[in-house]
Amino acid sequence: MRSDNVQSKRVEVMAGLTSFFAISYIIIVNPLILADGGIPAELSVFATIFASAVGCLLMALWADAPIILTPGMGINAFFTYTVVTNMGFRWQEALAISLISALIFFALAVTRAGRVLADAVPKSLKYAVTAGIGLFLVEIGLEKAELIRAGENSILALGDLQNPSAQLALLGLVLSLLFYQRRVKGGFFIAILIVTVIANAFDLVHANTIEIDMTRLGEYGALLFVEDFSSVLTISFWLAVFSMTMILVFESIGLLEGLLPDTEKFRNAFRASSLTAVLSSVLGTSPTVAAAESAAGIVEGGRSGLTALVGGALFVLTLVFIPLLAYVPQAAVAPVIIITGALMMQQLENIHFQDFSEWFPAFLIIVLIPLTNSISTGLAFGFAAHPMMKVFTGRRRELGTLSYVLGVLFLLQLIFEAMQ
């Protein structure tokens, strides 16, 4: 029994390592995105690390779930390019919007309303969210691998296969698939390590674009508790709050229900996610959500909070060993992201393709998430279309009142975004 327990812990630790390396790019990418909104990248990197570490700790202790919480890639873009750039709010005001949205999210999560909302979402849409995010991850992974690029006569085109990064990624993909099919424990992590060693041996590593200076940690206080509520009485402020709340709540429902191996842990995981979103605003970064890359660790066998705890510990360790992160090329991590996305897309088998009223809204979610690079846009189109399809087919009684309310709210979100 003791031997089995030790082996189980080893699996969880390896799962935590894998999840961390799959999502580690967020440490660099999130500050770069928020920098476009005015938040200093050299300080935002600390906020990203602290918010992720706290989130993983809460997920481990409160929910005992193998989920990594980090600032979300979709919502950080909404924070910067919609709230700040398009709507004209300063980043301090955007943090205030994030805080109120997260507090609403938390209020829903700790009451019965959270479960009611989760139950009101049709299963086909839940599966679609998971599959759509999976396809989004595949796109991200292929881009990181430089296997696809923006096309001249098309949206996407094949990348240059003579590019060393593309070749490294293909090697990593072959190794990862081999280890996965052979059920090698820690196979993804081993593949990352092999590609990293080869990349550095032949000097193929791309340097990070943010130089992290630990001496600037003392300046980090400039991002703490700086929310600006001066626009709280304006309509645009509350429209932004509504949109961000919708993204937080339904993206979290879709991600958690799609990722969690044990759905019994949804309630506490949902609450841990909401509390971390509140804290992230206070810490000076965009809201956190469950990282889709957590699936990489779950595939490795992660089932408990130990996986999240290991991930959180690694985020803290990056403060000391962050120079080492620069030696892990995107080509080493990309194959894990691609395979993880493919595994998430297996949820398609649970959608009834024969019922077009269920399939078409799901289809909109699946294709629009990657095509628009926005989880919120995919959700809005799918949730707005679902009740509409039921009305068109004369089956409106199949849905409860809340489903129609959600459909109208998401339709209003689309109208609001179109007006920006």
Side-chain angles (χ1 to χ4, degrees), residues 91-102:
W91 63 267
Q92 293 91 340
E93 293 174 303
L95 284 176
I97 290 168
S98 296
L99 180 59
I100 293 177
S101 299

Side-chain angles (χ1 to χ4, degrees), residues 130-157:
T130 302
I133 293 172
L135 186 56
F136 192 22
L137 284 180
V138 171
E139 181 186 17
I140 291 172
L142 291 171
E143 287 177 350
K144 288 183 176 298
E146 298 185 43
L147 290 171
I148 60 173
R149 57 177 175 79
E152 296 180 1
N153 300 313
S154 61
I155 298 175
L156 295 173

Side-chain angles (χ1 to χ4, degrees), residues 73-74 77-78 81-82 132 135-136 139 143 155-156 364-381 414 417:
M73 281 295 291
F78 179 83
Y81 304 115
T82 298
L135 186 56
F136 192 22
E139 181 186 17
E143 287 177 350
I155 298 175
L156 295 173
L364 289 176
I365 292 175
I366 293 164
V367 298
L368 287 176
I369 286 177
L371 289 179
T372 63
N373 284 334
S374 171
I375 294 174
S376 64
T377 299
L379 287 175
F381 271 96
L414 289 172
E417 290 180 358

Side-chain angles (χ1 to χ4, degrees), residues 47-58 69-70 276 308-309 311-313 315-316:
T48 301
I49 290 172
F50 293 144
S52 301
V54 170
C56 290
L57 181 63
L58 282 173
L69 293 176
T70 63
T276 308
L309 191 62
F315 274 109
V316 174

Side-chain angles (χ1 to χ4, degrees), residues 29-45:
V29 175
N30 188 58
L32 287 175
I33 291 175
L34 297 184
D36 289 341
I39 302 181
E42 294 77 11
L43 302 183
S44 181
V45 67

Side-chain angles (χ1 to χ4, degrees), residues 101-345:
S101 299
L103 286 170
I104 295 172
F105 177 23
F106 179 71
L108 292 171
V110 297
T111 61
R112 188 171 176 273
R115 186 68 261 177
V116 171
L117 275 175
D119 291 340
V121 179
K123 288 185 178 180
S124 61
L125 298 190
K126 291 177 181 177
Y127 297 137
V129 171
T130 302
I133 293 172
L135 186 56
F136 192 22
L137 284 180
V138 171
E139 181 186 17
I140 291 172
L142 291 171
E143 287 177 350
K144 288 183 176 298
E146 298 185 43
L147 290 171
I148 60 173
R149 57 177 175 79
E152 296 180 1
N153 300 313
S154 61
I155 298 175
L156 295 173
L158 182 66
D160 181 5
L161 297 184
Q162 294 183 358
N163 185 332
S165 292
Q167 294 173 351
L168 279 171
L170 287 172
L171 172 63
L173 185 60
V174 171
L175 290 174
S176 297
L177 288 170
L178 172 63
F179 295 150
Y180 176 71
Q181 291 299 111
R182 294 287 184 176
R183 302 184 184 278
V184 176
K185 294 297 182 183
F188 287 165
F189 181 73
I190 294 171
I192 291 172
L193 187 61
I194 291 173
V195 173
T196 298
V197 170
I198 294 174
N200 285 278
F202 293 93
D203 194 25
L204 300 172
V205 177
H206 297 290
N208 284 324
T209 52
I210 296 180
E211 183 176 345
I212 301 170
D213 185 356
M214 283 300 298
T215 61
R216 299 200 64 178
L217 182 59
E219 303 174 33
Y220 169 60
L223 296 188
L224 296 175
F225 301 99
V226 293
E227 290 81 1
D228 180 357
F229 295 92
S230 59
S231 301
V232 72
L233 297 180
T234 64
I235 294 176
S236 58
F237 183 95
W238 288 102
L239 286 174
V241 167
F242 167 75
S243 294
M244 187 171 287
T245 302
M246 291 295 99
I247 297 170
L248 274 174
V249 172
F250 289 99
E251 186 175 336
S252 296
I253 289 174
L255 283 165
L256 290 174
E257 294 215 347
L259 291 170
L260 284 170
D262 182 0
T263 55
E264 293 295 320
K265 296 182 178 181
F266 173 85
R267 181 182 179 186
N268 285 340
F270 195 50
R271 292 177 173 180
S273 183
S274 67
L275 180 56
T276 308
V278 173
L279 296 175
S280 65
S281 299
V282 174
L283 290 170
T285 187
S286 55
T288 51
V289 296
E293 290 82 355
S294 301
I298 293 170
V299 169
E300 282 285 354
R303 294 295 180 270
S304 75
L306 181 56
T307 294
L309 191 62
V310 170
L314 289 171
F315 274 109
V316 174
L317 285 175
T318 56
L319 291 170
V320 179
F321 298 105
I322 204 161
L324 297 178
L325 213 60
Y327 291 97
V328 181
Q330 293 191 5
V333 177
V336 177
I337 297 175
I338 293 169
I339 295 173
T340 298
L343 291 170
M344 292 178 70
M345 289 188 69

